Amino acid sequence: MKKVKVGIIGCGKISGIYMENCHKFDILELTACADIDRARAEEQAAKYHIPNVYTTEELLADPEIELVINLTIPALHAQIMLDALQAGKHVYVEKPLGVTREEGKAVLDMAASKGLLVGCAPETFLGAGIQTALKLIEDGRIGKPIAATAFMMSRGHEHWHPDPEFYYAAGGGPMFDMGPYYLTALVQLLGPIRRISGMTGTALTERTITSEKKQGQKIQVDIPTHVAGLMEFHNGAIGTLITSFDVFGGSTLPNIEIYGTKGTMLVPDPNGFGGSVQYRLTGETEWTEEPLLPGYNENTRGIGPADMAYAIRSGRAHRASGELAYHVLEAMWGFHDASDEGKRYEMVSTCDIPAPLSLDLQKYTLDQL
């Protein structure tokens, strides 16, 4: 199977792990990178052995690049994707798909009109942790899923991130930053969402950066920093999700729990690829830890673009799809809309449940060649 040549736009903090892992997957050939700060692109190219450093325009004009990985800030996601699609490239983007539903819809519409693929992070649901949880559900280990809870409780990013401003601007906040991990995992495990209720709040209108580089600078907070919601899934299960940057003293709440008619399952952190999967059945007093399936339990960001590359070559569906990402984007806005309007939000979109990964393939190979 011919390799898919890849170019990365955006050489910030997250880019390193993508660059490292692109070299590991047999289907990908990372040939170029670009960044608004050329020195940063040159530094990453030297570190990760990328042969070409381009401007964004040069990268999109390179006829050999078939797949663009867009790692820019959320405010630029949609425009870069539209430019890439206009240039005839398939495109994979860091989450979220867009700042607004309108942006996300425009991207999907253009991709469809041009016969191109769109993919979107997170791809962590392809890790051994969530894949093991999925198999337990499919095997009926805890019976029929009837409810779920999910919690992302944080004090915010200004105490560690070198450039935290965008987390408090449009497209940021705890829901748009971390919600995609939790919602994507829940859709993988329970299927698409039917309707949503929600309430939002903002503890502080201004935050002080305490991380190095910008220590002492002030950030104006333009988005809700605490979002609490309820979801009804198409399969009838009821989910509770809270995402927060307003938990200043820590929390002991679990990442995700799934409640079934025969027992309860503890699902690992959806922001990771591995973790511990445990379950306890009716009448039992101890939790049982399920051995993880063979697969990816380390940071394997880049598996989403690799899965897309196989789809480009074979025509099969890819898992971290634009349709899945749009469903998650709509749900995130649904929580905010439900809070603002004081009524339930009815989801318009739906999506397919991503297929489980095959268990009989060599590492960093996602299809039979």
Side-chain angles (χ1 to χ4, degrees):
M1 191 175 288
K2 182 183 177 183
K3 289 178 178 287
V4 172
K5 292 192 175 183
V6 177
I8 290 179
I9 298 176
C11 297
K13 189 175 180 65
I14 194 66
S15 68
I17 191 63
Y18 277 93
M19 293 170 175
E20 178 182 333
N21 287 329
C22 276
H23 290 307
K24 295 178 181 179
F25 283 97
D26 60 356
I27 191 68
L28 299 179
E29 182 180 348
L30 179 56
T31 66
C33 65
D35 192 275
I36 192 171
D37 181 346
R38 188 176 180 88
R40 183 161 58 184
E42 290 174 344
E43 180 181 348
Q44 291 295 79
K47 183 175 181 180
Y48 294 102
H49 310 291
I50 304 170
N52 298 299
V53 175
Y54 286 152
T55 65
T56 296
E57 293 74 18
E58 289 169 342
L59 190 150
L60 295 181
D62 186 335
E64 293 194 344
I65 293 175
E66 294 182 73
L67 172 59
V68 170
I69 300 177
N70 178 7
L71 305 180
T72 58
I73 62 172
L76 297 178
H77 281 183
Q79 188 57 58
I80 295 293
M81 283 190 289
L82 291 170
D83 290 345
L85 292 166
Q86 189 65 47
K89 316 294 187 187
H90 306 280
V91 62
Y92 182 94
V93 67
E94 249 301 325
K95 47 79 187 169
L97 182 65
V99 173
T100 66
R101 284 161 289 197
E102 292 76 15
E103 286 185 350
K105 184 69 163 52
V107 168
L108 295 187
D109 287 348
M110 179 177 283
S113 71
K114 291 184 169 293
L116 296 168
L117 298 184
V118 170
C120 184
E123 68 248 88
T124 47
F125 70 94
L126 299 175
I130 302 300
Q131 291 291 302
T132 299
L134 176 62
K135 189 171 192 307
L136 288 183
I137 289 176
E138 290 183 332
D139 289 348
R141 189 74 59 88
I142 63 169
K144 178 184 177 182
I146 55 176
T149 56
F151 302 98
M152 196 297 295
M153 315 302 278
S154 164
R155 58 180 280 195
H157 294 347
E158 66 273 15
H159 70 285
W160 67 269
H161 197 283
D163 298 295
E165 294 91 337
F166 73 88
Y167 289 106
Y168 299 97
M175 180 58 73
F176 290 98
D177 176 40
M178 296 300 294
Y181 296 104
Y182 289 79
L183 288 165
T184 302
L186 288 170
V187 170
Q188 169 77 107
L189 297 173
L190 300 175
I193 302 163
R194 183 193 302 276
R195 53 188 174 180
I196 283 173
S197 298
M199 296 190 75
T200 67
T202 304
L204 304 171
T205 58
E206 183 180 83
R207 295 192 178 223
T208 302
I209 299 174
T210 57
S211 60
E212 294 298 326
K213 179 180 170 183
K214 296 183 178 180
Q215 186 172 10
Q217 293 185 27
K218 304 293 184 181
I219 305 173
Q220 294 302 311
V221 178
D222 297 326
I223 40 78
T225 48
H226 188 94
V227 183
L230 296 173
M231 298 160 283
E232 179 189 351
F233 293 84
H234 279 276
N235 70 354
I238 303 298
T240 301
L241 173 64
I242 299 177
T243 65
S244 185
F245 285 167
D246 294 340
V247 181
F248 302 104
S251 170
T252 60
L253 289 168
N255 292 296
I256 299 176
E257 294 184 347
I258 307 291
Y259 313 108
T261 54
K262 295 181 180 179
T264 296
M265 180 170 61
L266 309 182
V267 180
D269 183 353
N271 190 19
F273 285 81
S276 174
V277 178
Q278 300 178 51
Y279 64 90
R280 191 170 72 187
L281 303 182
T282 304
E284 297 180 345
T285 58
E286 302 292 332
W287 293 94
T288 298
E289 182 158 356
E290 181 74 5
L292 293 183
L293 294 173
Y296 302 88
N297 58 15
E298 68 284 347
N299 190 342
T300 321
R301 283 171 171 82
I303 191 173
D307 187 59
M308 266 187 74
Y310 281 101
I312 290 168
R313 288 289 179 259
S314 69
R316 68 159 171 81
H318 61 294
R319 295 172 173 90
S321 68
E323 289 72 23
L324 170 60
Y326 182 81
H327 188 65
V328 167
L329 177 63
E330 184 190 1
M332 292 191 295
W333 274 111
F335 292 114
H336 293 78
D337 286 355
S339 177
D340 293 344
E341 298 172 13
K343 62 182 181 181
R344 287 185 300 193
Y345 176 84
E346 301 286 338
M347 293 285 289
V348 176
S349 69
T350 188
C351 63
D352 293 330
I353 300 175
L357 286 182
S358 298
L359 301 179
D360 58 351
L361 298 172
Q362 292 183 356
K363 200 74 174 286
Y364 300 110
T365 300
L366 301 176
D367 276 3
Q368 297 288 353
L369 296 178

